[in-house]
Coordinates of all heavy atoms in Angstrom, one line a residue:
M1 N 0.3 -5.3 -6.8 CA 1.2 -5.6 -8.0 C 2.2 -4.4 -8.1 O 1.9 -3.3 -8.0 CB 0.3 -5.7 -9.2 CG 1.0 -5.9 -10.4 SD 0.0 -6.5 -11.9 CE -1.5 -5.7 -11.8
I2 N 3.4 -4.8 -8.4 CA 4.6 -3.8 -8.4 C 4.3 -2.8 -9.6 O 4.7 -1.7 -9.5 CB 5.9 -4.5 -8.6 CG1 7.0 -3.5 -8.4 CG2 6.0 -5.2 -9.9 CD1 8.4 -4.1 -8.2
I3 N 3.6 -3.2 -10.6 CA 3.4 -2.3 -11.8 C 2.5 -1.2 -11.3 O 2.7 0.0 -11.7 CB 2.7 -3.1 -12.9 CG1 3.8 -4.1 -13.4 CG2 2.3 -2.1 -14.0 CD1 3.2 -5.1 -14.4
D4 N 1.5 -1.5 -10.5 CA 0.6 -0.5 -9.9 C 1.4 0.6 -9.1 O 1.1 1.8 -9.1 CB -0.5 -1.1 -9.0 CG -1.6 -1.7 -9.9 OD1 -1.9 -1.2 -11.0 OD2 -2.2 -2.6 -9.4
R5 N 2.4 0.1 -8.3 CA 3.1 1.0 -7.5 C 4.1 1.8 -8.3 O 4.6 2.9 -7.8 CB 3.9 0.2 -6.4 CG 3.0 -0.4 -5.4 CD 3.7 -1.0 -4.3 NE 4.8 -1.9 -4.6 CZ 4.7 -3.2 -4.5 NH1 3.7 -3.8 -4.0 NH2 5.8 -3.9 -4.9
T6 N 4.5 1.4 -9.5 CA 5.5 2.2 -10.2 C 4.8 3.1 -11.3 O 4.8 4.3 -11.1 CB 6.5 1.2 -10.9 OG1 5.8 0.3 -11.7 CG2 7.4 0.5 -9.9
I7 N 4.2 2.5 -12.3 CA 3.6 3.3 -13.3 C 2.1 3.6 -13.0 O 1.5 4.4 -13.7 CB 3.8 2.7 -14.7 CG1 3.1 1.4 -14.8 CG2 5.2 2.6 -15.1 CD1 2.9 0.9 -16.2
G8 N 1.6 2.9 -12.1 CA 0.2 3.1 -11.7 C -0.2 4.5 -11.4 O -1.3 4.9 -11.6
A9 N 0.7 5.2 -10.8 CA 0.5 6.6 -10.4 C 0.2 7.5 -11.6 O -0.4 8.6 -11.5 CB 1.7 7.2 -9.6
W10 N 0.7 7.1 -12.8 CA 0.6 7.9 -14.0 C -0.7 7.5 -14.8 O -1.0 8.1 -15.8 CB 1.8 7.7 -14.9 CG 3.1 8.2 -14.2 CD1 3.9 7.5 -13.5 CD2 3.6 9.5 -14.2 NE1 4.9 8.3 -13.0 CE2 4.7 9.5 -13.4 CE3 3.1 10.7 -14.8 CZ2 5.4 10.7 -13.3 CZ3 3.8 11.9 -14.6 CH2 5.0 11.8 -13.8
L11 N -1.4 6.5 -14.3 CA -2.5 6.0 -15.0 C -3.8 6.3 -14.3 O -3.9 6.4 -13.1 CB -2.4 4.5 -15.2 CG -1.2 3.9 -15.9 CD1 -1.2 2.4 -15.9 CD2 -1.1 4.5 -17.3
D12 N -4.9 6.6 -15.1 CA -6.2 6.9 -14.5 C -6.9 5.5 -14.3 O -7.2 4.8 -15.2 CB -7.0 7.7 -15.6 CG -8.3 8.2 -15.0 OD1 -8.5 8.1 -13.7 OD2 -9.1 8.7 -15.8
G13 N -7.1 5.2 -13.1 CA -7.7 3.9 -12.7 C -6.7 2.8 -12.5 O -5.5 3.1 -12.7
E14 N -7.1 1.7 -12.0 CA -6.2 0.6 -11.8 C -6.1 -0.2 -13.0 O -6.9 -0.4 -13.9 CB -6.8 -0.3 -10.6 CG -6.8 0.5 -9.3 CD -7.3 -0.4 -8.2 OE1 -7.3 -1.7 -8.4 OE2 -7.7 0.1 -7.2
L15 N -4.9 -0.9 -13.1 CA -4.6 -1.8 -14.2 C -5.5 -3.1 -14.0 O -5.7 -3.6 -12.9 CB -3.1 -2.2 -14.2 CG -2.2 -1.2 -14.8 CD1 -0.8 -1.7 -14.6 CD2 -2.5 -1.1 -16.3
D16 N -6.0 -3.5 -15.1 CA -6.7 -4.8 -15.2 C -5.8 -5.8 -15.8 O -5.1 -5.6 -16.6 CB -8.0 -4.6 -16.0 CG -8.8 -5.8 -16.1 OD1 -8.4 -6.9 -16.2 OD2 -10.1 -5.6 -16.0
Y17 N -5.9 -7.1 -15.2 CA -5.0 -8.1 -15.8 C -5.2 -8.4 -17.2 O -4.3 -8.9 -17.9 CB -5.2 -9.4 -14.9 CG -4.5 -9.3 -13.6 CD1 -5.3 -9.2 -12.4 CD2 -3.1 -9.4 -13.5 CE1 -4.7 -9.1 -11.2 CE2 -2.5 -9.3 -12.2 CZ -3.3 -9.2 -11.1 OH -2.7 -9.1 -9.9
S18 N -6.4 -8.1 -17.8 CA -6.6 -8.2 -19.2 C -5.7 -7.2 -20.0 O -5.6 -7.4 -21.2 CB -8.1 -8.1 -19.5 OG -8.5 -6.7 -19.3
Q19 N -5.2 -6.2 -19.4 CA -4.4 -5.2 -20.1 C -2.9 -5.6 -20.1 O -2.1 -4.9 -20.6 CB -4.5 -3.8 -19.4 CG -5.9 -3.3 -19.5 CD -6.0 -2.0 -18.6 OE1 -6.1 -2.0 -17.4 NE2 -5.8 -0.8 -19.3
L20 N -2.6 -6.7 -19.4 CA -1.2 -7.0 -19.1 C -0.8 -8.3 -19.8 O -1.5 -9.3 -19.7 CB -1.1 -7.1 -17.6 CG 0.3 -7.5 -17.0 CD1 1.3 -6.5 -17.3 CD2 0.1 -7.7 -15.5
Y21 N 0.4 -8.4 -20.4 CA 1.0 -9.6 -20.9 C 2.4 -9.6 -20.4 O 3.2 -8.6 -20.5 CB 1.0 -9.6 -22.4 CG 1.9 -10.7 -23.0 CD1 1.5 -12.0 -23.0 CD2 3.2 -10.4 -23.4 CE1 2.3 -13.0 -23.4 CE2 4.0 -11.4 -23.9 CZ 3.6 -12.7 -23.9 OH 4.4 -13.7 -24.3
V22 N 2.8 -10.7 -19.8 CA 4.2 -10.8 -19.2 C 4.8 -12.1 -19.6 O 4.2 -13.1 -19.6 CB 4.1 -10.8 -17.6 CG1 5.5 -11.0 -17.0 CG2 3.5 -9.6 -17.1
D23 N 6.0 -11.9 -20.1 CA 6.9 -13.1 -20.4 C 8.2 -12.9 -19.7 O 9.1 -12.2 -20.1 CB 7.1 -13.2 -21.9 CG 8.0 -14.4 -22.3 OD1 8.5 -15.1 -21.4 OD2 8.0 -14.7 -23.5
L24 N 8.3 -13.5 -18.4 CA 9.4 -13.2 -17.6 C 10.7 -13.7 -18.2 O 11.8 -13.1 -18.0 CB 9.2 -13.9 -16.2 CG 8.2 -13.2 -15.3 CD1 8.0 -13.9 -14.0 CD2 8.6 -11.8 -15.0
L25 N 10.7 -14.9 -18.8 CA 12.0 -15.4 -19.3 C 12.6 -14.5 -20.4 O 13.8 -14.4 -20.4 CB 11.7 -16.8 -20.0 CG 11.3 -17.9 -18.9 CD1 11.0 -19.2 -19.7 CD2 12.4 -18.1 -17.9
S26 N 11.8 -13.9 -21.2 CA 12.4 -13.0 -22.3 C 12.5 -11.6 -21.8 O 13.1 -10.7 -22.4 CB 11.5 -13.1 -23.5 OG 10.3 -12.5 -23.3
G27 N 11.9 -11.3 -20.6 CA 12.0 -10.0 -20.1 C 11.0 -9.0 -20.7 O 11.3 -7.8 -20.8
A28 N 9.9 -9.5 -21.2 CA 9.0 -8.7 -21.9 C 7.7 -8.5 -21.1 O 7.2 -9.3 -20.5 CB 8.5 -9.4 -23.3
L29 N 7.3 -7.2 -21.1 CA 6.1 -6.8 -20.5 C 5.3 -5.9 -21.4 O 5.9 -5.0 -22.0 CB 6.4 -6.0 -19.2 CG 5.3 -5.3 -18.4 CD1 4.4 -6.4 -17.8 CD2 5.9 -4.4 -17.4
Q30 N 4.0 -6.1 -21.6 CA 3.2 -5.4 -22.5 C 1.9 -4.9 -21.8 O 1.3 -5.7 -21.1 CB 2.9 -6.2 -23.7 CG 2.2 -5.4 -24.8 CD 1.8 -6.3 -26.0 OE1 0.9 -7.0 -26.0 NE2 2.7 -6.1 -27.0
L31 N 1.6 -3.6 -21.9 CA 0.4 -3.1 -21.3 C -0.4 -2.5 -22.4 O 0.1 -1.8 -23.3 CB 0.8 -2.0 -20.3 CG 1.6 -2.4 -19.1 CD1 2.3 -1.2 -18.4 CD2 0.8 -3.3 -18.1
K32 N -1.7 -2.7 -22.4 CA -2.6 -2.2 -23.5 C -3.7 -1.3 -23.0 O -4.2 -1.5 -21.8 CB -3.2 -3.4 -24.2 CG -2.2 -4.2 -25.0 CD -2.9 -5.2 -25.8 CE -1.9 -5.9 -26.7 NZ -2.5 -6.8 -27.7
D33 N -4.1 -0.4 -23.8 CA -5.2 0.4 -23.6 C -5.2 1.2 -22.3 O -6.0 1.0 -21.3 CB -6.6 -0.4 -23.7 CG -6.7 -1.0 -25.0 OD1 -6.4 -0.4 -26.0 OD2 -7.2 -2.2 -25.0
L34 N -4.2 2.1 -22.1 CA -3.9 2.8 -20.9 C -4.4 4.2 -21.1 O -4.2 4.9 -22.1 CB -2.4 2.8 -20.6 CG -1.7 1.4 -20.5 CD1 -0.2 1.6 -20.4 CD2 -2.3 0.6 -19.4
K35 N -5.1 4.7 -20.0 CA -5.5 6.1 -19.9 C -4.7 6.8 -18.9 O -4.5 6.4 -17.8 CB -7.0 6.2 -19.5 CG -7.6 7.5 -19.6 CD -9.0 7.5 -19.3 CE -9.6 9.0 -19.3 NZ -11.0 9.1 -18.9
L36 N -4.1 7.9 -19.3 CA -3.2 8.7 -18.5 C -3.9 9.5 -17.4 O -5.0 10.0 -17.7 CB -2.3 9.6 -19.3 CG -1.3 8.9 -20.3 CD1 -0.6 9.9 -21.1 CD2 -0.4 8.0 -19.5
D37 N -3.3 9.6 -16.2 CA -3.9 10.4 -15.2 C -3.5 11.9 -15.4 O -2.3 12.2 -15.2 CB -3.4 10.0 -13.8 CG -3.9 10.8 -12.7 OD1 -4.5 11.9 -12.9 OD2 -3.8 10.3 -11.5
C38 N -4.4 12.7 -15.9 CA -4.0 14.1 -16.4 C -3.5 14.9 -15.2 O -2.6 15.6 -15.3 CB -5.2 14.7 -17.0 SG -5.7 14.0 -18.5
S39 N -4.1 14.7 -14.0 CA -3.6 15.5 -12.9 C -2.2 15.3 -12.5 O -1.4 16.1 -12.2 CB -4.6 15.4 -11.7 OG -4.6 14.0 -11.2
Q40 N -1.8 14.0 -12.6 CA -0.4 13.6 -12.2 C 0.6 14.2 -13.3 O 1.6 14.7 -13.0 CB -0.3 12.1 -12.2 CG 1.1 11.5 -12.0 CD 1.7 11.8 -10.6 OE1 1.1 12.4 -9.8 NE2 2.9 11.3 -10.4
V41 N 0.2 14.0 -14.6 CA 1.1 14.5 -15.6 C 1.2 16.1 -15.5 O 2.2 16.7 -15.7 CB 0.5 14.1 -17.0 CG1 1.3 14.8 -18.1 CG2 0.5 12.6 -17.2
N42 N 0.0 16.7 -15.3 CA 0.0 18.2 -15.2 C 0.9 18.7 -14.1 O 1.4 19.8 -14.2 CB -1.4 18.7 -15.1 CG -2.2 18.6 -16.3 OD1 -1.6 18.5 -17.4 ND2 -3.5 18.4 -16.3
R43 N 1.1 18.0 -13.0 CA 2.0 18.5 -12.0 C 3.4 18.7 -12.5 O 4.2 19.5 -12.0 CB 2.1 17.4 -10.8 CG 0.9 17.4 -10.0 CD 1.0 16.5 -8.8 NE -0.3 16.1 -8.3 CZ -0.7 14.9 -8.2 NH1 0.0 13.9 -8.5 NH2 -2.0 14.7 -7.8
H44 N 3.8 18.0 -13.6 CA 5.1 18.1 -14.1 C 5.2 19.0 -15.3 O 6.3 19.5 -15.7 CB 5.7 16.7 -14.5 CG 5.7 15.9 -13.3 ND1 6.8 15.9 -12.4 CD2 4.8 15.0 -12.8 CE1 6.6 15.0 -11.5 NE2 5.4 14.4 -11.7
I45 N 4.1 19.3 -16.0 CA 4.2 20.1 -17.3 C 3.5 21.4 -17.2 O 3.8 22.3 -18.1 CB 3.6 19.3 -18.5 CG1 2.1 19.1 -18.3 CG2 4.3 17.9 -18.7 CD1 1.3 18.5 -19.6
Q46 N 2.7 21.7 -16.2 CA 2.0 23.1 -16.2 C 3.1 24.2 -16.1 O 2.8 25.3 -16.6 CB 1.1 23.1 -15.1 CG -0.2 22.3 -15.4 CD -1.3 22.4 -14.4 OE1 -1.0 22.6 -13.2 NE2 -2.5 22.2 -14.8
K47 N 4.2 24.0 -15.6 CA 5.2 25.1 -15.5 C 5.7 25.5 -16.9 O 6.2 26.6 -17.0 CB 6.4 24.7 -14.6 CG 7.1 23.4 -15.1 CD 8.2 23.0 -14.2 CE 8.8 21.7 -14.6 NZ 9.7 21.2 -13.5
Y48 N 5.3 24.7 -17.9 CA 5.7 25.1 -19.3 C 4.5 25.7 -20.0 O 4.6 26.0 -21.2 CB 6.2 23.8 -20.0 CG 7.4 23.2 -19.4 CD1 7.3 22.0 -18.7 CD2 8.6 23.9 -19.4 CE1 8.4 21.4 -18.1 CE2 9.7 23.3 -18.8 CZ 9.6 22.1 -18.1 OH 10.7 21.5 -17.5
G49 N 3.4 26.0 -19.3 CA 2.3 26.7 -19.9 C 1.3 25.9 -20.6 O 0.5 26.4 -21.4
I50 N 1.4 24.5 -20.4 CA 0.5 23.6 -21.0 C -0.2 22.7 -20.0 O 0.4 22.5 -18.9 CB 1.1 22.8 -22.1 CG1 2.3 22.0 -21.5 CG2 1.5 23.7 -23.3 CD1 3.0 21.0 -22.6
S51 N -1.3 22.1 -20.4 CA -2.0 21.2 -19.5 C -2.5 20.1 -20.3 O -3.0 20.2 -21.4 CB -3.2 22.0 -18.9 OG -4.0 21.1 -18.1
L52 N -2.4 18.8 -19.8 CA -2.9 17.7 -20.5 C -4.4 17.5 -20.2 O -4.8 17.4 -19.0 CB -2.1 16.4 -20.0 CG -2.6 15.1 -20.7 CD1 -2.2 15.1 -22.2 CD2 -1.9 13.9 -20.0
A53 N -5.2 17.5 -21.2 CA -6.7 17.4 -21.0 C -7.1 15.9 -21.2 O -8.0 15.5 -20.5 CB -7.4 18.2 -22.1
E54 N -6.3 15.2 -22.0 CA -6.6 13.8 -22.2 C -5.4 13.1 -22.7 O -4.7 13.7 -23.6 CB -7.8 13.6 -23.2 CG -8.3 12.2 -23.4 CD -9.5 12.2 -24.4 OE1 -10.2 13.2 -24.5 OE2 -9.7 11.1 -24.9
G55 N -5.2 11.9 -22.3 CA -4.0 11.1 -22.8 C -4.3 9.6 -22.8 O -4.8 9.1 -21.8
K56 N -3.9 8.9 -23.9 CA -4.1 7.5 -24.0 C -2.9 6.9 -24.6 O -2.2 7.5 -25.5 CB -5.3 7.2 -24.9 CG -6.6 7.7 -24.4 CD -7.7 7.3 -25.4 CE -8.7 8.3 -25.6 NZ -9.6 8.0 -26.7
I57 N -2.6 5.7 -24.3 CA -1.5 4.9 -24.9 C -2.1 3.5 -25.3 O -2.8 2.8 -24.5 CB -0.4 4.6 -23.9 CG1 0.3 5.9 -23.4 CG2 0.6 3.6 -24.5 CD1 1.3 5.7 -22.3
Q58 N -2.0 3.2 -26.6 CA -2.6 2.0 -27.1 C -1.8 0.8 -26.5 O -2.4 -0.2 -26.0 CB -2.6 2.0 -28.6 CG -3.2 0.7 -29.1 CD -3.1 0.6 -30.7 OE1 -2.4 1.3 -31.3 NE2 -4.0 -0.2 -31.3
T59 N -0.5 0.8 -26.7 CA 0.4 -0.2 -26.2 C 1.7 0.3 -25.7 O 2.3 1.2 -26.3 CB 0.7 -1.2 -27.3 OG1 -0.5 -1.7 -27.9 CG2 1.5 -2.4 -26.9
A60 N 2.1 -0.2 -24.5 CA 3.4 0.2 -23.9 C 4.2 -1.2 -23.8 O 3.7 -2.1 -23.1 CB 3.3 0.9 -22.6
E61 N 5.3 -1.3 -24.4 CA 6.1 -2.5 -24.3 C 7.4 -2.2 -23.5 O 8.1 -1.2 -23.9 CB 6.4 -3.1 -25.7 CG 5.2 -3.5 -26.5 CD 5.5 -4.0 -27.8 OE1 6.7 -4.1 -28.2 OE2 4.6 -4.3 -28.6
I62 N 7.7 -3.0 -22.6 CA 8.9 -2.8 -21.7 C 9.8 -4.0 -21.9 O 9.3 -5.2 -21.8 CB 8.5 -2.6 -20.3 CG1 7.6 -1.4 -20.1 CG2 9.8 -2.4 -19.4 CD1 6.9 -1.2 -18.8
S63 N 11.0 -3.8 -22.3 CA 12.0 -4.9 -22.4 C 13.1 -4.8 -21.4 O 13.7 -3.7 -21.2 CB 12.6 -4.8 -23.8 OG 13.6 -5.7 -24.0
I64 N 13.2 -5.8 -20.6 CA 14.2 -5.9 -19.4 C 15.3 -6.8 -19.8 O 15.0 -8.0 -20.1 CB 13.5 -6.3 -18.1 CG1 12.3 -5.4 -17.8 CG2 14.5 -6.4 -17.0 CD1 11.4 -5.9 -16.8
N65 N 16.5 -6.3 -19.7 CA 17.7 -7.2 -19.9 C 18.1 -7.8 -18.6 O 18.8 -7.1 -17.8 CB 18.8 -6.3 -20.6 CG 20.0 -7.1 -20.9 OD1 20.2 -8.3 -20.5 ND2 20.9 -6.5 -21.7
W66 N 17.7 -9.0 -18.3 CA 18.0 -9.6 -17.1 C 19.5 -9.7 -16.8 O 19.9 -9.7 -15.6 CB 17.3 -11.0 -17.0 CG 15.9 -11.0 -17.0 CD1 15.0 -11.5 -18.0 CD2 15.0 -10.4 -16.0 NE1 13.7 -11.3 -17.6 CE2 13.7 -10.6 -16.4 CE3 15.2 -9.8 -14.8 CZ2 12.5 -10.2 -15.7 CZ3 14.1 -9.4 -14.1 CH2 12.8 -9.5 -14.5
A67 N 20.3 -9.9 -17.8 CA 21.7 -10.1 -17.6 C 22.4 -8.8 -17.0 O 23.4 -8.8 -16.3 CB 22.4 -10.5 -18.9
E68 N 21.8 -7.7 -17.3 CA 22.3 -6.4 -16.9 C 21.3 -5.6 -16.1 O 21.2 -4.4 -16.2 CB 22.8 -5.6 -18.1 CG 23.8 -6.2 -18.9 CD 24.2 -5.4 -20.1 OE1 23.8 -4.3 -20.2 OE2 25.0 -5.9 -21.0
L69 N 20.5 -6.3 -15.3 CA 19.4 -5.7 -14.6 C 19.7 -4.5 -13.7 O 19.1 -3.5 -13.8 CB 18.7 -6.7 -13.7 CG 17.4 -6.3 -12.9 CD1 16.4 -5.8 -13.9 CD2 16.9 -7.3 -12.1
L70 N 20.9 -4.6 -13.0 CA 21.2 -3.6 -12.1 C 22.1 -2.5 -12.7 O 22.2 -1.4 -12.3 CB 22.0 -4.2 -10.8 CG 21.1 -5.1 -10.0 CD1 21.9 -5.6 -8.8 CD2 19.8 -4.4 -9.5
S71 N 22.8 -2.9 -13.8 CA 23.7 -1.9 -14.4 C 23.3 -1.5 -15.8 O 23.8 -0.5 -16.3 CB 25.1 -2.5 -14.5 OG 25.1 -3.7 -15.3
G72 N 22.4 -2.2 -16.4 CA 22.0 -1.9 -17.8 C 20.8 -1.1 -17.9 O 20.2 -0.7 -16.9
N73 N 20.3 -1.0 -19.1 CA 19.1 -0.2 -19.4 C 18.0 -1.1 -19.8 O 18.2 -2.2 -20.4 CB 19.4 0.8 -20.5 CG 20.4 1.8 -20.2 OD1 20.4 2.3 -19.1 ND2 21.2 2.2 -21.1
S74 N 16.8 -0.7 -19.5 CA 15.6 -1.3 -20.0 C 15.0 -0.4 -21.1 O 15.3 0.8 -21.1 CB 14.5 -1.5 -18.9 OG 15.0 -2.3 -17.9
A75 N 14.3 -0.9 -22.0 CA 13.7 -0.1 -23.1 C 12.2 -0.1 -23.0 O 11.6 -1.1 -22.6 CB 14.1 -0.7 -24.4
V76 N 11.6 1.1 -23.3 CA 10.2 1.2 -23.3 C 9.8 1.7 -24.7 O 10.3 2.7 -25.2 CB 9.7 2.2 -22.2 CG1 8.2 2.5 -22.3 CG2 10.1 1.8 -20.8
Y77 N 8.9 1.0 -25.3 CA 8.3 1.3 -26.6 C 6.9 1.7 -26.5 O 6.1 0.9 -25.9 CB 8.5 0.2 -27.6 CG 9.9 -0.3 -27.7 CD1 10.4 -1.3 -27.0 CD2 10.8 0.3 -28.6 CE1 11.8 -1.8 -27.1 CE2 12.1 0.0 -28.7 CZ 12.6 -1.1 -27.9 OH 13.9 -1.5 -28.0
I78 N 6.5 2.8 -27.0 CA 5.1 3.3 -26.9 C 4.5 3.2 -28.4 O 5.1 3.8 -29.3 CB 5.0 4.7 -26.4 CG1 5.6 4.8 -25.0 CG2 3.5 5.2 -26.4 CD1 4.9 4.1 -23.9
K79 N 3.3 2.6 -28.5 CA 2.6 2.6 -29.8 C 1.3 3.4 -29.6 O 0.6 3.2 -28.6 CB 2.2 1.2 -30.1 CG 3.2 0.4 -30.8 CD 2.6 -0.9 -31.3 CE 3.6 -1.8 -31.9 NZ 3.0 -3.1 -32.2
S80 N 1.1 4.3 -30.5 CA -0.1 5.1 -30.6 C -0.4 5.9 -29.3 O -1.2 5.6 -28.5 CB -1.4 4.2 -30.9 OG -2.5 5.0 -31.0
L81 N 0.4 6.9 -29.1 CA 0.3 7.8 -28.0 C -0.6 8.9 -28.4 O -0.3 9.6 -29.5 CB 1.6 8.3 -27.6 CG 1.6 9.5 -26.5 CD1 1.1 8.9 -25.2 CD2 3.1 10.0 -26.4
E82 N -1.7 9.2 -27.7 CA -2.6 10.3 -28.1 C -2.7 11.3 -26.9 O -3.0 10.9 -25.8 CB -4.1 9.7 -28.3 CG -4.2 8.8 -29.5 CD -5.6 8.3 -29.7 OE1 -6.5 9.0 -29.3 OE2 -5.7 7.2 -30.2
L83 N -2.3 12.5 -27.2 CA -2.4 13.6 -26.2 C -3.2 14.7 -26.6 O -3.0 15.2 -27.8 CB -0.9 14.1 -25.9 CG 0.0 13.0 -25.4 CD1 1.4 13.6 -25.3 CD2 -0.4 12.4 -24.1
K84 N -4.1 15.2 -25.8 CA -4.8 16.4 -26.0 C -4.3 17.5 -25.0 O -4.5 17.3 -23.8 CB -6.3 16.2 -25.8 CG -7.1 17.5 -26.1 CD -8.6 17.2 -25.9 CE -9.4 18.5 -26.1 NZ -10.8 18.3 -25.8
V85 N -3.6 18.4 -25.5 CA -2.9 19.4 -24.7 C -3.5 20.8 -24.9 O -3.8 21.1 -26.0 CB -1.4 19.5 -25.1 CG1 -0.6 20.5 -24.2 CG2 -0.7 18.1 -24.9
E86 N -3.6 21.5 -23.8 CA -4.2 22.8 -23.9 C -3.2 23.8 -23.4 O -2.4 23.5 -22.5 CB -5.5 22.9 -23.1 CG -6.6 21.9 -23.5 CD -7.8 21.9 -22.6 OE1 -7.6 22.3 -21.5 OE2 -8.8 21.4 -23.1
Q87 N -3.2 25.0 -23.9 CA -2.4 26.1 -23.5 C -3.0 26.8 -22.2 O -4.2 27.0 -22.2 CB -2.2 27.1 -24.6 CG -1.2 28.2 -24.2 CD -1.0 29.2 -25.3 OE1 -1.4 29.0 -26.5 NE2 -0.1 30.2 -25.1
L88 N -2.2 27.0 -21.2 CA -2.7 27.7 -20.0 C -2.6 29.2 -20.2 O -1.8 29.7 -20.9 CB -1.9 27.3 -18.8 CG -2.0 25.8 -18.4 CD1 -1.0 25.5 -17.3 CD2 -3.3 25.4 -18.0
D89 N -3.6 29.9 -19.5 CA -3.5 31.4 -19.4 C -2.6 31.7 -18.3 O -2.9 31.5 -17.1 CB -4.9 31.9 -19.2 CG -4.9 33.4 -19.0 OD1 -3.8 34.0 -19.4 OD2 -5.9 34.0 -18.6
L90 N -1.4 32.1 -18.6 CA -0.4 32.4 -17.5 C -0.3 33.9 -17.2 O 0.7 34.4 -16.6 CB 1.0 31.9 -18.0 CG 1.1 30.4 -18.2 CD1 2.5 30.0 -18.8 CD2 0.8 29.7 -17.0
S91 N -1.3 34.7 -17.6 CA -1.2 36.2 -17.4 C -1.2 36.5 -15.9 O -0.7 37.5 -15.5 CB -2.4 36.8 -18.1 OG -3.6 36.3 -17.6
D92 N -1.8 35.6 -15.0 CA -1.8 35.9 -13.6 C -0.7 35.2 -12.9 O -0.6 35.2 -11.6 CB -3.1 35.5 -13.0 CG -4.3 36.2 -13.6 OD1 -4.1 37.4 -13.9 OD2 -5.4 35.7 -13.7
T93 N 0.2 34.5 -13.6 CA 1.3 33.8 -12.9 C 2.5 34.6 -12.8 O 3.0 35.3 -13.7 CB 1.6 32.5 -13.8 OG1 0.4 31.8 -13.9 CG2 2.6 31.6 -13.1
M94 N 3.2 34.5 -11.6 CA 4.5 35.1 -11.5 C 5.6 34.2 -11.8 O 5.5 33.0 -11.4 CB 4.6 35.6 -10.0 CG 3.6 36.7 -9.6 SD 3.9 37.2 -7.9 CE 5.6 37.7 -7.9
W95 N 6.6 34.6 -12.6 CA 7.7 33.8 -12.9 C 8.9 34.2 -12.1 O 9.2 35.3 -11.9 CB 8.0 34.0 -14.4 CG 6.9 33.4 -15.3 CD1 5.9 34.1 -15.8 CD2 6.8 32.1 -15.8 NE1 5.1 33.3 -16.5 CE2 5.7 32.0 -16.5 CE3 7.6 31.0 -15.7 CZ2 5.2 30.9 -17.2 CZ3 7.2 29.8 -16.3 CH2 6.0 29.8 -17.1
F96 N 9.5 33.2 -11.6 CA 10.7 33.4 -10.7 C 12.0 33.0 -11.4 O 12.0 32.1 -12.2 CB 10.6 32.6 -9.4 CG 9.5 33.1 -8.6 CD1 8.2 32.4 -8.7 CD2 9.6 34.2 -7.8 CE1 7.2 32.8 -7.9 CE2 8.6 34.5 -7.0 CZ 7.3 33.9 -7.0

């Protein structure tokens, strides 16, 4: 599934079809009860001295404007984002 190849890398585990609602005609996609892959997120945020210990998204809604698919924007709406973030000990880290 294309969703697994795009946002799947950011999720812990594989998407289940019960978590997915798609309405192609209106360009609506909804994903429910998602658990974030902390190691993937941490690759991008640890340089700021923080680490994601746990992350969940209750609902992610993606709206695709088919008329402007290649030139326009899509919108992503997140409902109930829960993040547990920890501060890293950077005393042994060299900053460049």
Side-chain angles (χ1 to χ4, degrees):
M1 178 167 33
I2 192 166
I3 297 169
D4 282 329
R5 291 191 307 254
T6 53
I7 65 168
W10 297 93
L11 303 177
D12 186 12
E14 293 185 18
L15 279 173
D16 185 317
Y17 286 106
S18 67
Q19 296 173 281
L20 177 65
Y21 169 78
V22 178
D23 183 349
L24 288 177
L25 293 177
S26 69
L29 171 70
Q30 187 179 78
L31 302 164
K32 291 186 172 190
D33 302 319
L34 306 172
K35 186 175 177 186
L36 297 176
D37 181 345
C38 294
S39 61
Q40 174 71 357
V41 174
N42 286 335
R43 287 186 200 122
H44 299 278
I45 67 170
Q46 285 183 335
K47 61 186 171 190
Y48 301 109
I50 57 175
S51 176
L52 182 65
E54 185 178 339
K56 298 182 218 173
I57 298 173
Q58 181 183 21
T59 305
E61 297 177 4
I62 302 167
S63 176
I64 302 168
N65 184 346
W66 293 115
E68 300 178 8
L69 182 61
L70 298 177
S71 62
N73 295 323
S74 295
V76 178
Y77 302 95
I78 304 292
K79 274 187 186 175
S80 185
L81 173 65
E82 296 179 30
L83 302 174
K84 180 180 177 186
V85 180
E86 299 173 343
Q87 185 174 359
L88 296 174
D89 179 14
L90 298 176
S91 60
D92 297 329
T93 305
M94 294 181 59
W95 292 89
F96 295 96

